[in-house]
Amino acid sequence: MNRRTVVKGLLLFTGGLVLAPSCVMETSKASIRLRNLDISGEDEKLMGELVETILPTTDTPGGKTLGLHRFTLKMVDDLRGEKDQKAFMAGLDGFKKLAKKQVGSSFVEASPQKRQELVSAVNAGKAPEDVVAFYRMVKDHTITGYLNSELVMTKLRVYELVPGRYNAYFPVKTKQQS
Amino acid sequence: MANLNVDSVKQRTFDAIVIGSGMSGGWAAKEFTGKGLKTLVLERGRDVKHIKDYPTTNMMPYEFEHRGELTAEMREKNPVVSRCYAFREDAMHFFVKDTEQPYVQEKPFDWIRGQQVGGKSLLWARQTQRWSDLDFEGPARDGYAVDWPIRYKDLAPWYSYVEKFAGISGNNDGLAELPDGEFLPAYPLNSVEDYFKKQLKSHYGNRHVISARCAHLSKPNQIHLDQGRAQCMNRVICQRGCPFGGYFSSNSSTIPWAERTGLMTLLPHSVVQEVIYDDKAGKATGVRVINAQTKETTEYYAPVIFVNASAFSTNQILLNSTSDRFPNGLGNDSGLLGKYVAFHNYRARITAEYEGFQEYATDGRNPAGGGYIPRFRNLHKQETDFLRGYAAGFRADRGQESDTSGFGVDLKKQLLNPSWGIWKVGSHMMGETIPKAESQLSLSKTRKDDWGIPLLNINLDYDANDNKMVADYHAQMEEMFTKAGFTNIKKTDSHQAPGLDIHEMGGVRMGHDPKTSLLNRYNQLHACPNVYVTDGACMTSTSTQNPSLTYMALTARAVDHAVSEMKKQNI
């Protein structure tokens, strides 16, 4: 497939969520309506850079372009119980503090390399428990959102709504193919 | 005025009334209208027209707000229905929410209901197996419940009749315990399912894995095309309703077929309060219906009434149908109405892995779901310390997997380039439970629903026999899996409440003797023969088969009987 076409068409694929940001962005508020989570515009930016670090833009769009940060916030807000939501908020706070401490600036202001270093440590579980718990939630929803995005499902790993067949003995090569 | 009343009564008088439009009610509607009878079909839920009213049927996963998941709020407000595997974002509009229609759990019971035109036939798992005489003879042989008043030969032609119309895929496997039928081509077993089949054959001889028989049009015949249905497209998102009519539902098949005769009047939003019994005439004359929305009450009349409201709702209606002649519920001379209810024991599962057959996976999707292991325990004689036995599902899947331990460019690469994992195998138990007098339904004396109808008290539970059966299933399956070389075997007992199997049955059981049963061999109430019950309520015992096909066959047979009795003026 021609991946350039995909990049050109990326405006079509925003994680499938129709989330119109308000015209005048107030920095103090998140761009989507959340019922349980108290998320600021700054937090949303942080989430954007975090999902972009988890799934970066390569020759295909990454997490931020696909809106997976907003998707993650919405899923935590709607699907998770109060306990998880509290843990999420506490972990988000912890993550911000950890960034300040280790990077010396906010996660958003940090260079991509610094961000990667921090996420690498958290991903390996080398961070306070609440931060790791927060990160796992973000990563889970980011992966789900990515694999279930219009881009992936129609272009990169095509989901067939109407297969029209069942081959019970489908020959495959076991080695991963590039 | 008098004339107007006469006209009004005339308008509300039909040749037959069918309560319920689900699996069995749809069949009653089709059969009555097919025999030229003006038929009223009453459905308490809303109308669901084939295709038009399947709002999610063509949605891609990313078009669902929560990608198919239930919100925390939905789960908290509806703990019972949320436990059902099919109650997800794509089909939740076809289920009754917990709060919409309460019932009393004297013991925990997950009552899963689909109240709309088509009922649960929209949502069912579509597995269809015939009963054999090893099932019908069970109670008599093993001394529980009462003897079934019918045998396989009574139902065999009706199984054929409904199978041809509904469209059942399967193989003729030549097994005494699971009679062959009128089959469309079976969905094949995959490499590991086939392998397990051969392993069982060589290690045991009398244990079988067959292609699951299911109500899917693997290759439609003219009769299916005439219904406006087409070949199953292997989507396996059936619970949304199928735009191809690839699986059998009332909505895609029996209801539109009945509609085409011009003889069916289908009334949604019609809650049946009771069947009206006329003490002077000595028979049922009609039904009293409450409009679910306006709460207005209307009576409808017909010489014959079929109660197909779903097993437990049918009990509720009959218990609530009291008269001087039947103070304890219609036809309830024996005092057994609502008693001897039972269900299927679905608690146990087993999973494992298999390293072999790396050269094969599957492509597309199998609507049959894989293999079926017919009952092999206590089949021809008692051989264990528990009564009866279990059937089991068996399937093998090989999925594409990604290592998600990393992050960044590597994680993305992993997600977009998954590799074939090893085969995963799994089985679930479908055990017979023994109907007992203490397993019973009754009407609440204190609580009523929004329509003034007493709530249903549900009181049934597992017993020692069920626990022994779970243990035996685990032991036998583990042995079979081990012999087949499966590894990483894991056994689970969900301890789920009865009801989640969605195979509740009985309460208005069939039998020879009016003193010990409610219905005769043609599903007529012994004491009120112009009322028939042909849904799950009529079941004397449960055996291990998925029950819907048997309800369909019993219904078609009962309508044939009813029409012939009407001609003879016996009812």
Side-chain angles (χ1 to χ4, degrees):
Chain A
M1 66 171 298
N2 183 347
R3 297 204 167 172
R4 281 196 188 147
T5 319
V6 175
V7 179
K8 273 187 207 156
L10 64 84
L11 282 177
L12 287 171
F13 308 112
T14 52
L17 274 180
V18 184
L19 300 166
S22 47
C23 293
V24 185
M25 272 288 261
E26 293 176 54
T27 47
S28 61
K29 274 190 178 174
S31 66
I32 54 168
R33 192 181 303 156
L34 299 169
R35 284 183 300 175
N36 303 303
L37 301 181
D38 184 15
I39 296 290
S40 69
E42 284 304 308
D43 293 338
E44 186 180 331
K45 275 186 197 161
L46 181 151
M47 288 291 296
E49 295 311 326
L50 180 54
V51 300
E52 185 65 22
T53 311
I54 294 171
L55 290 176
T57 301
T58 51
D59 55 348
T60 59
K64 192 164 70 169
T65 314
L66 293 172
L68 298 181
H69 51 315
R70 289 189 290 266
F71 174 78
T72 295
L73 289 170
K74 185 171 169 59
M75 293 306 112
V76 174
D77 197 55
D78 285 355
L79 303 186
R80 303 249 178 186
E82 206 184 328
K83 201 178 141 205
D84 276 358
Q85 288 167 351
K86 279 191 177 150
F88 182 88
M89 291 308 294
L92 170 62
D93 201 45
F95 186 83
K96 284 190 264 189
K97 285 178 183 150
L98 187 69
K100 270 264 176 342
K101 199 172 124 194
Q102 301 213 337
V103 187
S105 71
S106 78
F107 188 71
V108 175
E109 286 159 3
S111 70
Q113 200 195 330
K114 290 274 181 200
R115 285 185 207 137
Q116 277 181 34
E117 282 169 23
L118 182 64
V119 168
S120 177
V122 179
N123 191 67
K126 290 173 197 156
E129 208 176 304
D130 60 341
V131 175
V132 174
F134 157 79
Y135 174 78
R136 295 263 172 258
M137 280 189 245
V138 175
K139 188 173 167 184
D140 279 359
H141 289 299
T142 301
I143 291 174
T144 305
Y146 184 64
L147 292 177
N148 286 283
S149 66
E150 186 173 356
L151 169 70
V152 173
M153 288 202 138
T154 60
K155 302 283 180 195
L156 303 178
R157 267 184 82 174
V158 174
Y159 169 83
E160 291 178 285
L161 188 66
V162 186
R165 67 185 184 286
Y166 178 60
N167 181 354
Y169 279 79
F170 181 62
V172 294
K173 291 198 174 123
T174 38
K175 284 258 170 74
Q176 190 180 311
Q177 292 187 299
S178 56
Chain B
M1 284 304 286
N3 270 341
L4 277 179
N5 277 334
V6 169
D7 282 352
S8 166
V9 168
K10 208 177 159 190
Q11 278 167 13
R12 288 181 281 120
T13 301
F14 296 81
D15 298 330
I17 292 174
V18 178
I19 304 171
S21 63
M23 196 62 80
S24 62
W27 268 98
K30 171 191 170 288
E31 293 304 300
F32 273 124
T33 54
K35 290 174 191 292
L37 275 72
K38 205 178 137 208
T39 306
L40 174 68
V41 179
L42 298 163
E43 167 53 53
R44 72 173 295 155
R46 70 183 187 281
D47 196 8
V48 172
K49 290 256 185 280
H50 183 47
I51 305 176
K52 178 177 155 285
D53 293 324
Y54 303 156
T56 60
T57 191
N58 285 322
M59 283 170 68
M60 289 286 278
Y62 50 82
E63 292 179 291
F64 290 95
E65 190 179 2
H66 302 98
R67 307 298 185 269
E69 304 267 325
L70 295 176
T71 64
E73 189 185 6
M74 181 63 81
R75 280 183 274 121
E76 272 157 33
K77 283 188 178 163
N78 302 282
V80 170
V81 69
S82 292
R83 286 193 277 273
C84 176
Y85 69 98
F87 185 75
R88 300 188 76 239
E89 197 173 26
D90 64 343
M92 57 189 183
H93 47 284
F94 290 145
F95 288 85
V96 172
K97 312 294 180 295
D98 293 14
T99 46
E100 285 171 357
Q101 225 187 295
Y103 59 98
V104 182
Q105 300 183 53
E106 291 184 337
K107 288 182 182 148
F109 185 86
D110 291 340
W111 194 9
I112 308 301
R113 294 160 291 177
Q115 290 175 349
Q116 59 263 324
V117 168
K120 297 195 295 288
S121 78
L122 273 171
L123 300 164
W124 66 315
R126 312 165 308 282
Q127 301 288 304
T128 42
Q129 312 96 20
R130 291 186 180 201
W131 280 41
S132 77
D133 273 337
L134 297 170
D135 307 298
F136 286 114
E137 287 167 0
R141 189 193 83 179
D142 292 342
Y144 64 99
V146 290
D147 185 25
W148 274 89
I150 55 169
R151 288 294 181 265
Y152 179 63
K153 67 174 166 43
D154 298 306
L155 213 49
W158 295 101
Y159 273 133
S160 290
Y161 180 79
V162 298
E163 282 167 350
K164 282 181 200 163
F165 188 82
I168 307 295
S169 71
N171 285 315
N172 285 320
D173 298 292
L175 303 174
E177 62 272 37
L178 211 71
D180 292 333
E182 311 288 337
F183 294 142
L184 307 174
Y187 291 94
L189 298 176
N190 65 33
S191 56
V192 174
E193 290 160 355
D194 254 344
Y195 163 77
F196 190 55
K197 176 194 177 101
K198 285 172 194 144
Q199 287 287 305
L200 289 197
K201 191 88 187 158
S202 73
H203 288 295
Y204 298 92
N206 62 347
R207 298 186 185 183
H208 309 280
V209 180
I210 62 168
S211 277
R213 298 170 183 176
C214 66
H216 280 262
L217 300 181
S218 54
K219 192 171 171 240
N221 289 329
Q222 190 59 44
I223 186 66
H224 308 121
L225 302 175
D226 290 347
Q227 294 167 40
R229 298 170 59 199
Q231 186 176 328
C232 167
M233 287 287 111
N234 311 68
R235 304 189 333 146
V236 197
I237 42 176
C238 313
Q239 68 280 1
R240 300 180 186 178
C242 181
F244 301 97
Y247 72 95
F248 173 86
S249 66
S250 298
N251 311 67
S252 68
S253 180
T254 47
I255 293 287
W257 193 265
E259 200 157 41
R260 245 169 273 157
T261 63
L263 293 170
M264 179 180 72
T265 301
L266 174 63
L267 291 184
H269 304 296
S270 299
V271 180
V272 173
Q273 181 183 32
E274 62 177 315
V275 177
I276 305 162
Y277 185 81
D278 185 325
D279 287 304
K280 274 188 217 145
K283 61 180 183 180
T285 53
V287 294
R288 190 167 294 113
V289 171
I290 304 169
N291 183 297
Q293 295 167 317
T294 65
K295 305 215 169 142
E296 190 187 347
T297 300
T298 313
E299 291 182 0
Y300 296 95
Y301 309 102
V304 62
I305 296 153
F306 266 55
V307 192
N308 300 85
S310 85
F312 283 9
S313 297
T314 286
N315 275 275
Q316 188 174 17
I317 289 169
L318 295 181
L319 284 165
N320 201 40
S321 303
T322 54
S323 55
D324 287 345
R325 168 69 182 82
F326 295 111
N328 301 313
L330 189 65
N332 191 15
D333 288 341
S334 62
L336 297 183
L337 178 60
K339 296 185 178 175
Y340 294 95
V341 290
F343 58 100
H344 277 156
N345 180 351
Y346 268 51
R347 273 166 38 192
R349 284 174 186 273
I350 184 165
T351 60
E353 294 173 345
Y354 188 56
E355 302 276 356
F357 293 98
Q358 295 286 304
E359 66 275 31
Y360 290 114
T362 60
D363 182 47
R365 297 179 208 126
N366 181 0
Y372 179 87
I373 303 173
R375 178 165 69 95
F376 55 86
R377 279 310 216 189
N378 302 322
L379 198 55
H380 297 286
K381 61 178 196 317
Q382 186 63 35
E383 58 197 11
T384 67
D385 66 345
F386 57 86
L387 278 180
R388 312 306 296 164
Y390 46 83
F394 175 76
R395 66 181 291 166
D397 288 290
R398 191 173 183 205
Q400 292 189 293
E401 296 169 356
S402 300
D403 176 1
T404 58
S405 62
F407 77 100
V409 176
D410 173 56
L411 175 62
K412 206 172 163 193
K413 203 173 153 191
Q414 290 287 344
L415 293 176
L416 294 180
N417 299 282
S419 53
W420 291 103
I422 59 170
W423 286 94
K424 306 269 168 71
V425 298
S427 166
H428 68 282
M429 165 194 186
M430 299 175 274
E432 177 162 358
T433 70
I434 305 299
K436 292 158 293 194
E438 64 268 28
S439 299
Q440 58 177 280
L441 310 172
S442 57
L443 296 183
S444 170
K445 291 188 172 63
T446 52
R447 295 177 61 192
K448 291 183 172 180
D449 66 16
D450 289 350
W451 302 274
I453 297 170
L455 299 194
L456 191 66
N457 299 324
I458 303 181
N459 188 331
L460 78 162
D461 205 349
Y462 293 99
D463 61 21
N465 199 65
D466 300 320
N467 295 334
K468 284 180 190 168
M469 211 186 279
V470 167
D472 188 71
Y473 167 85
H474 276 152
Q476 294 304 312
M477 289 306 299
E478 182 169 32
E479 183 186 284
M480 291 186 264
F481 275 21
T482 305
K483 285 185 177 180
F486 297 161
T487 55
N488 196 17
I489 297 171
K490 286 179 183 151
K491 297 169 285 182
T492 54
D493 179 349
S494 70
H495 293 285
Q496 67 186 41
L500 207 53
D501 43 292
I502 329 184
H503 286 176
E504 63 272 15
M505 291 178 239
V508 197
R509 72 182 179 191
M510 295 171 76
H512 301 283
D513 186 350
K515 289 193 191 71
T516 58
S517 62
L518 276 298
L519 302 170
N520 70 12
R521 64 193 314 270
Y522 290 105
N523 299 72
Q524 296 171 283
L525 283 172
H526 289 297
C528 184
N530 70 328
V531 173
Y532 288 71
V533 174
T534 65
D535 63 11
C538 77
M539 299 296 276
T540 308
S541 65
T542 72
S543 203
T544 58
Q545 284 85 336
N546 296 66
S548 293
L549 183 71
T550 299
Y551 304 163
M552 297 189 218
L554 285 169
T555 303
R557 176 175 176 268
V559 171
D560 186 65
H561 180 263
V563 173
S564 120
E565 289 291 281
M566 287 164 90
K567 278 188 189 144
K568 291 182 206 153
Q569 298 192 318
N570 287 341
I571 57 171

